[in-house]
């Protein structure tokens, strides 16, 4: 991906488009996905982001988890039990 490329982005959740935009002047995929996640606002859960690079003719698809609270990692050495 080159900084001058034109990128079309669509974010879909449960078959519904929740975000649609075009980008140019962005250097890498990570920056675009970060901007999309920030723009999603109150959307939470799994979202499929589809990107099309109009300049190069390529596509990419990423599934990301957005919004909501994330559980903190369990400290190492913690024993977990399951109730039966």
């Amino acid at each position: 991906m080159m900084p001058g490329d034109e990128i079309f982005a669509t974010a879909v959740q449960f078959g519904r488009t929740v975000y649609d935009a075009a980008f140019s002047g962005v250097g890498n995929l990570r920056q675009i996905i970060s901007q999309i996640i920030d723009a999603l606002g109150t959307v939470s859960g799994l979202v499929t982001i589809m990107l099309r690079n109009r300049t190069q003719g390529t596509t990419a698809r990423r599934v990301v988890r957005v919004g909501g609270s994330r559980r903190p990692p369990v400290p190492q050495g913690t024993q977990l039990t399951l109730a039966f």
Side-chain angles (χ1 to χ4, degrees), residues 5-83:
D5 289 356
E6 188 174 4
I7 310 294
F8 295 103
T10 302
V12 176
Q13 185 180 48
F14 305 121
R16 183 178 61 110
T17 300
V18 292
Y19 181 79
D20 196 24
F23 295 88
S24 62
V26 181
N28 63 46
L29 190 61
R30 182 177 288 173
Q31 288 176 332
I32 292 174
I33 291 177
S34 177
Q35 288 180 15
I36 293 169
I37 290 171
D38 289 344
L40 288 175
T42 60
V43 175
S44 71
L46 293 178
V47 174
T48 301
I49 298 174
M50 293 168 285
L51 303 162
R52 185 171 68 88
N53 185 327
R54 178 179 179 218
T55 309
Q56 295 181 8
T58 58
T59 61
R61 181 176 174 262
R62 301 286 188 270
V63 177
V64 296
R65 183 184 311 265
V66 296
S69 62
R70 295 187 180 186
R71 289 187 222 156
V74 176
Q76 220 170 10
T78 302
Q79 182 176 350
L80 303 175
T81 58
L82 301 174

